[in-house]
Amino acid sequence: MSSRRNFLKNASAATGGLLLLNVPGYSSIEQLHESVLNSISKGNGRVPKFNMCGYAAPEIPVVRIGYVGIGGRGSWAVTRMTNIKNVEIKALCDTREAAVKANQETLKKMHLPAAKEYYGDDYAWKKLCEQPDIDLVYIATPWQWHVPVALYAMEHGKHVAVEVPSATTLEDAWKLVETSERTKKHCMQLENCCYDFFETLTINMAQQGVLGELVHAEGAYIHHLLEAMFAPPPKNPTDYPGEAAWRWKENQKSGNLYPTHGLGPVAQAMNINRGDKMEYLTSMSTNDFMMEALAEKLATGDPWYKQYTGRHYRGNMNTSVIKTNKGKTIMVQHDVSSPRPYNRIHALSGTKAFAQKYPDPARICFGEEPADTIKMKQLEEQYTPELIRHVEQAARKIGGHGGMDFIMDWRLIDCLRNGLALDMDVYDLATWCAVTPLSIWSVAHRSNSIDVPDFTGGYWKTNKPVDLTLRGGGDTEIVKQG
């Protein structure tokens, strides 16, 4: 360990203490060094008092929910949940009264009782978490509030479901892990891509051995959001300000800032934390060729945009590569500023076959040529998981990114109601989110590799793979679709 500390110290000196502008929790490379070192040490030899992977909490026949953060994403979540019969939406919280009132109207249209309201205060969510008749707190705030709300909710006896990324620092990831273990409350990351149709098909195929031994996987979040990040303020102060109100600030750190959409499904397919673990990571970013240039251009036409100028924005494309304990590799990319088609890649390369979702059409290859349409249909019929078959028809009608959002919500409720383990636990949350600070560290150090902390405390060796069957559940009712 002393040699590792010396390496970090020398690497820090080589960078001259380069500032990491606007990275929550870190003011310098030195601080990030210490954080990384402490986190890795914490994971070495740790024996958790309780293992949350596979944990089945007591049944909750009717799940009572409180929502914190009901802008665009949060409002969609409220609307989706009104299509599930075995829930009660007990509370709505946002800083804006208009957002709360709008979601009350959603409940009214679905002939559901009004929820208790919390608004007008940055910390109104504390009262919601203290409300005794809530079982689950659903968090869809800007990133900086994810961890504080989740911790407070668990401390007050609530399960939590947190939007992505649920944590942006290693310290916060550990706080969520330790609080979940101590309180025995679920802390699930709302990673909807783990429930998309092709992803679940290939996860099941991988687990059934159809792809052979997985050797390599790739995931990404490539989504052209450049103009959206610099959008002007809403004309009406009560309107939802959109991601531009906070996301541009998050993009002042160079690394993979949003890894979980691409990483989550391939991590499940490769049994990360459930038979294998991420060992170490190396990361590289381009320079920024677009964000600062756009900010300067906008500022010449409107002084309001001056706030966006003079910043150190992240490199446009980040590529991170992870080596696993069993000698496999995972590549994860992030680019939300280049003019490229949307792409999450989702590629699984095995000793028997290869599967890749993007670009369309998705394909599965058992040699050089992809399976034809008939063969693809046969594979879908044979390997679509039981969970997906059970809710697919309703999910496609209700929607939410094609239906995967609804499947995620329904599965969460069905597991809570029936006392079943969740598909994504707090260790998955922490490991997937750790890619952000670790990639920032690696980029700042000429792509040197850095160890990935073991958040499971060694339980990755015996934890069971994700199970996409109904597992004794499936009785959660869905409002009949027309």
Side-chain angles (χ1 to χ4, degrees):
M1 180 55 72
S2 61
S3 62
R4 187 71 172 169
R5 284 187 182 276
N6 289 335
F7 166 72
L8 290 173
K9 194 177 294 183
N10 293 336
S12 176
T15 61
L18 174 68
L19 288 181
L20 290 172
L21 301 180
N22 208 41
V23 180
Y26 309 124
S27 61
S28 66
I29 287 289
E30 288 87 347
Q31 270 201 349
L32 181 55
H33 282 334
E34 199 61 30
S35 166
V36 168
L37 203 66
N38 290 339
S39 184
I40 294 168
S41 298
K42 199 169 193 174
N44 291 336
R46 186 182 83 100
V47 181
K49 293 181 179 178
F50 190 80
N51 182 11
M52 289 301 293
C53 183
Y55 171 60
E59 305 178 0
I60 309 172
V62 176
V63 180
R64 301 166 298 177
I65 306 175
Y67 283 88
V68 180
I70 43 178
R73 184 86 177 125
S75 291
W76 301 340
V78 172
T79 300
R80 291 194 307 272
M81 201 64 78
T82 63
N83 291 279
I84 300 176
K85 287 186 178 181
N86 310 91
V87 303
E88 292 177 359
I89 298 175
K90 304 296 288 188
L92 300 168
C93 177
D94 198 277
T95 54
R96 298 161 300 121
E97 179 182 0
V100 173
K101 298 299 185 185
N103 282 274
Q104 287 283 33
E105 283 300 310
T106 298
L107 300 183
K108 184 177 180 180
K109 287 176 184 176
M110 292 297 289
H111 307 291
L112 297 173
K116 194 164 184 178
E117 300 180 354
Y118 300 94
Y119 56 82
D121 180 347
D122 282 349
Y123 292 90
W125 49 267
K126 287 191 171 184
K127 294 179 181 178
L128 180 146
C129 294
E130 293 164 2
Q131 188 173 321
D133 59 344
I134 290 177
D135 305 302
L136 170 69
V137 175
Y138 198 113
I139 304 164
T141 62
W143 300 355
Q144 71 192 79
W145 295 102
H146 287 177
V147 172
V149 179
L151 293 174
Y152 199 78
M154 285 189 283
E155 294 288 5
H156 285 81
K158 277 65 172 174
H159 298 297
V160 296
V162 195
E163 268 295 350
V164 301
S166 301
T168 58
T169 70
L170 295 170
E171 289 87 352
D172 279 347
W174 276 114
K175 288 176 186 176
L176 293 175
V177 166
E178 292 170 340
T179 304
S180 179
E181 289 175 345
R182 177 168 48 80
T183 61
K184 295 185 181 179
K185 293 300 175 183
H186 289 303
C187 183
M188 170 185 154
Q189 185 162 230
L190 289 161
E191 186 38 77
N192 54 350
C193 295
C194 289
Y195 294 98
D196 209 352
F197 299 101
F198 188 77
E199 281 85 336
T200 53
L201 170 70
T202 54
I203 290 169
N204 193 36
M205 290 178 68
Q207 292 180 342
Q208 298 297 322
V210 181
L211 306 181
E213 182 81 9
L214 289 186
V215 174
H216 174 75
E218 299 178 9
Y221 187 67
I222 298 172
H223 191 185
H224 187 216
L225 299 171
L226 181 60
E227 288 76 16
M229 284 190 287
F230 295 119
K235 294 179 181 179
N236 185 338
T238 63
D239 289 344
Y240 174 58
E243 292 187 350
W246 55 271
R247 195 161 183 165
W248 68 276
K249 297 176 183 176
E250 297 289 347
N251 278 268
Q252 293 175 57
K253 45 194 173 183
S254 200
N256 189 320
L257 310 186
Y258 203 69
T260 68
H261 281 343
L263 179 58
V266 301
Q268 288 190 331
M270 297 185 82
N271 294 330
I272 298 300
N273 291 338
R274 301 158 187 263
D276 198 359
K277 77 179 182 80
M278 297 181 188
E279 199 72 31
Y280 62 89
L281 168 152
T282 185
S283 186
M284 181 179 292
S285 288
T286 68
N287 290 345
D288 167 37
F289 293 91
M290 281 169 270
M291 297 186 70
E292 172 64 12
L294 179 59
E296 294 286 353
K297 179 180 177 182
L298 292 170
T300 60
D302 185 343
W304 184 86
Y305 288 99
K306 281 285 185 184
Q307 63 180 311
Y308 294 143
T309 62
R311 309 285 181 169
H312 178 79
Y313 289 108
R314 56 154 182 80
N316 301 122
M317 167 61 82
N318 173 270
T319 300
S320 299
V321 180
I322 302 161
K323 189 76 175 281
T324 78
N325 179 268
K326 292 191 173 181
K328 305 175 181 185
T329 53
I330 304 172
M331 183 197 77
V332 191
Q333 291 186 317
H334 175 267
D335 184 351
V336 294
S337 49
S338 302
R340 296 178 55 173
Y342 182 86
N343 193 342
R344 296 200 307 270
I345 302 179
H346 186 71
L348 299 173
S349 183
T351 56
K352 292 182 181 178
F354 171 81
Q356 183 165 321
K357 181 170 183 176
Y358 296 90
D360 288 335
R363 57 197 183 277
I364 297 173
C365 309
F366 292 88
E368 292 187 8
E369 297 298 323
D372 60 23
T373 303
I374 295 175
K375 179 65 174 176
M376 283 292 289
K377 289 279 188 187
Q378 292 173 342
L379 291 171
E380 289 171 4
E381 289 172 6
Q382 186 171 358
Y383 294 108
T384 293
E386 180 186 15
L387 160 65
I388 303 302
R389 292 187 186 283
H390 187 74
V391 295
E392 179 176 6
Q393 186 175 1
R396 290 191 185 278
K397 289 181 179 178
I398 295 167
H401 292 95
M404 62 184 179
D405 293 5
F406 179 75
I407 297 173
M408 174 184 68
D409 289 341
W410 182 90
R411 175 67 154 190
L412 169 60
I413 299 303
D414 193 59
C415 288
L416 291 176
R417 290 189 61 252
N418 289 285
L420 303 172
L422 305 188
D423 300 323
M424 294 179 284
D425 57 46
V426 71
Y427 309 118
D428 298 321
L429 178 158
T431 304
W432 303 349
C433 288
V435 168
T436 293
L438 295 174
S439 65
I440 293 170
W441 185 95
S442 183
V443 168
H445 293 92
R446 294 175 61 86
S447 304
N448 277 304
S449 65
I450 188 71
D451 292 346
V452 179
D454 176 16
F455 292 97
T456 73
Y459 278 117
W460 64 269
K461 298 174 185 177
T462 55
N463 288 338
K464 302 299 182 186
V466 171
D467 181 357
L468 296 178
T469 65
L470 293 175
R471 295 185 271 121
D475 60 345
T476 299
E477 296 183 65
I478 301 171
V479 174
K480 187 175 181 181
Q481 303 301 306

